[in-house]
Amino acid sequence: MIATRPDVTLNGLYSRKEAAKALGINTSTLHRYTERGLIKAHYRRATNERVWKGEDIIKLWNYCY
């Protein structure tokens, strides 16, 4: 996990790779955090792809720091 606040927009939607990169963690770690309920994943209706909101990324970072 990075020590500085992730540079994300609060209303932005981020793919698994983008969210993990913003937090400075591996994608499998992001998956574990999601499964444990530490961060919430959302789904894009058109593609049914999992995405993470910027505000949830910030909440997880605040929780860890």
Side-chain angles (χ1 to χ4, degrees), residues 3-45:
T4 58
R5 187 173 190 254
D7 184 28
V8 295
T9 57
L10 294 178
N11 294 333
L13 296 176
Y14 297 89
S15 69
R16 179 175 44 182
K17 251 182 161 177
E18 293 169 333
K21 184 177 179 182
L23 288 165
I25 59 176
N26 193 304
T27 56
S28 60
T29 304
L30 179 64
H31 177 71
R32 273 197 317 273
Y33 287 168
T34 304
E35 293 298 313
R36 291 181 183 165
L38 296 175
I39 187 169
K40 186 177 180 185
H42 303 271
Y43 291 90
R44 285 191 175 143
R45 288 184 184 179

Side-chain angles (χ1 to χ4, degrees), residues 1-8 21-24 57-58 61-62 65:
M1 181 87 54
I2 60 172
T4 58
R5 187 173 190 254
D7 184 28
V8 295
K21 184 177 179 182
L23 288 165
I57 293 171
I58 297 297
W61 183 81
N62 286 331
Y65 282 95

